[in-house]
Amino acid sequence: MPAPQIEYPIHVASAAEFEEALKVRIHVFVDIQKFSRELEPDEHDPTATHIVVLCPRTDKVIGTLRILKAQGAAKIGRVVVMPEYQGLGLGKKMMAYAEQHIVANLDKYQGCEAIKLGSQMDKIRFYESCGYARKGEVFDDDGSPHVWMVKDVKSLMQSS
């Protein structure tokens, strides 16, 4: 008999969960990937919608991302899952939840025709597997090469 599927709760973060999410971001982006500490948190966090995934046993935040309103697009960023929980599909589930949230709240993201994100080069395949397409040239983000990736909102609305 196969092992039961573990459900990891994913939802919009509470204020307390946002504080935990910041700790996750600092651990992965600053401690592990060596991005600048000054970037966590940044000026966009107060107006962003923060999505979290929780460990079902402890209710601790183990993954997070944020959604910002950008010109003509919703922008997903700061996508991170704690290393010990990577490989379980939680990043994809958070991305799908974020996309559903954007579509359900299009009034908040007025004029949003696309979802975009800046991908680290080694994460491109992950975002392609989520339906995003590479757009534009490589750019530098705090010393790390990134590329813009986009997904048409209309494609999400047709599949809803």
Side-chain angles (χ1 to χ4, degrees):
M1 179 184 279
Q5 183 72 20
I6 298 172
E7 286 297 319
Y8 290 83
I10 300 174
H11 56 258
V12 174
S14 67
E17 289 168 335
F18 170 65
E19 293 303 320
E20 281 188 62
L22 278 178
K23 291 176 185 173
V24 170
R25 283 170 35 183
I26 290 167
H27 176 65
V28 175
F29 293 133
V30 177
D31 298 341
I32 296 173
Q33 295 183 356
K34 306 301 181 198
F35 283 93
S36 299
R37 174 64 178 92
E38 296 78 40
L39 298 176
E40 295 297 337
D42 70 13
E43 70 277 10
H44 301 292
D45 282 312
T47 59
T49 299
H50 298 273
I51 306 298
V52 292
V53 59
L54 307 180
C55 174
R57 293 185 309 280
T58 64
D59 286 335
K60 295 287 185 193
V61 174
I62 57 172
T64 186
L65 62 74
R66 71 180 184 187
I67 309 167
L68 303 169
K69 182 180 176 190
Q71 190 172 0
K75 181 181 175 200
I76 293 177
R78 301 299 203 268
V79 180
V80 63
V81 174
M82 290 291 284
E84 59 270 30
Y85 292 94
Q86 292 176 4
L88 301 175
L90 300 176
K92 273 191 174 181
K93 288 179 181 176
M94 274 197 308
M95 292 294 292
Y97 184 95
E99 292 168 358
Q100 292 168 0
H101 178 82
I102 291 164
V103 169
N105 294 279
L106 279 178
D107 56 325
K108 180 178 180 177
Y109 304 100
Q110 293 172 334
C112 174
E113 296 177 7
I115 301 172
K116 71 178 188 175
L117 57 88
S119 173
Q120 296 176 20
M121 299 306 286
D122 64 337
K123 307 297 188 284
I124 290 172
R125 282 199 180 105
F126 166 73
Y127 292 114
E128 287 174 338
S129 75
C130 294
Y132 289 77
R134 186 175 169 163
K135 183 175 184 177
E137 299 298 317
V138 174
F139 65 93
D140 179 80
D141 185 354
D142 197 34
S144 174
H146 281 62
V147 67
W148 287 112
M149 302 197 73
V150 297
K151 189 174 199 177
D152 186 16
V153 168
K154 288 179 187 146
S155 69
L156 294 171
M157 295 171 76
Q158 292 167 352
S159 64
S160 298

